[in-house]
Amino acid sequence: MRIAGLAAVLLAASCAPALAASALEKNFWLSGPNYDAVLPHCADKAVSDQIAARFARKEANYWHSNLAIQQIDRHRQVAFRPWGASYIPRRFCVARVLTNDGHYRRVSYAIAEDTGWIGASWGVEWCVDGTDHNLAYAPACKMARP
């Protein structure tokens, strides 16, 4: 009986007309994203270092491999904000990496604003051709490009 009474109260409450936002709710700061579009360049050493460190950690922790990036060169920007100004600013790049097994591979990566640790800085997503073991950016790292 108690459950039926509670259900009746909830039903009545859901049928009540919605009230407009109060003055406090209207003045609450909800300005939306304010992007500056200030991102490191493709060849920035901090970007290369982050890719190399995360690549080595991923290979060691998930794939039990000692594969690591020794060198990154031939950086080239592919696109900057390709989807327009109202989206998170991203700089898409490609480069060549030399891994410690002696192979040159292509790395595709995107540097994005406010996607770093707790959204405090830029972040980078990357994919090295031939090492996408879980096919996260399949086919052939295409999903890491615009």
Side-chain angles (χ1 to χ4, degrees):
M1 184 68 175
R2 269 185 120 165
I3 295 175
L6 181 59
V9 169
L10 289 175
L11 179 62
S14 66
C15 293
L19 301 175
S22 69
L24 177 64
E25 292 170 324
K26 288 179 184 176
N27 291 324
F28 192 76
W29 183 70
L30 293 173
S31 66
N34 294 316
Y35 296 116
D36 299 324
V38 177
L39 296 169
H41 292 283
C42 294
D44 192 299
K45 183 171 175 17
V47 174
S48 297
D49 289 348
Q50 187 173 15
I51 292 170
R54 289 177 58 199
F55 178 82
R57 190 168 49 243
K58 175 197 69 129
E59 286 293 317
N61 291 345
Y62 296 106
W63 307 112
H64 306 291
S65 163
N66 64 350
L67 194 63
I69 294 174
Q70 292 183 321
Q71 175 185 335
I72 303 177
D73 61 4
R74 297 187 183 177
H75 301 271
R76 184 172 54 88
Q77 180 173 302
V78 176
F80 181 69
R81 298 185 97 167
W83 301 301
S86 60
Y87 293 92
I88 295 174
R90 285 180 171 84
R91 181 183 311 276
F92 288 91
C93 310
V94 294
R96 182 179 74 162
V97 298
L98 174 63
T99 52
N100 59 352
D101 63 355
H103 289 91
Y104 283 99
R105 296 176 164 92
R106 179 175 61 180
V107 61
S108 303
Y109 55 103
I111 307 162
E113 185 173 340
D114 297 342
T115 60
W117 191 69
I118 67 168
S121 180
W122 56 268
V124 63
E125 293 184 24
W126 48 269
C127 181
V128 177
D129 282 1
T131 66
D132 187 19
H133 306 294
N134 61 343
L135 305 177
Y137 296 98
C141 293
K142 182 180 178 183
M143 296 298 114
R145 298 186 287 274

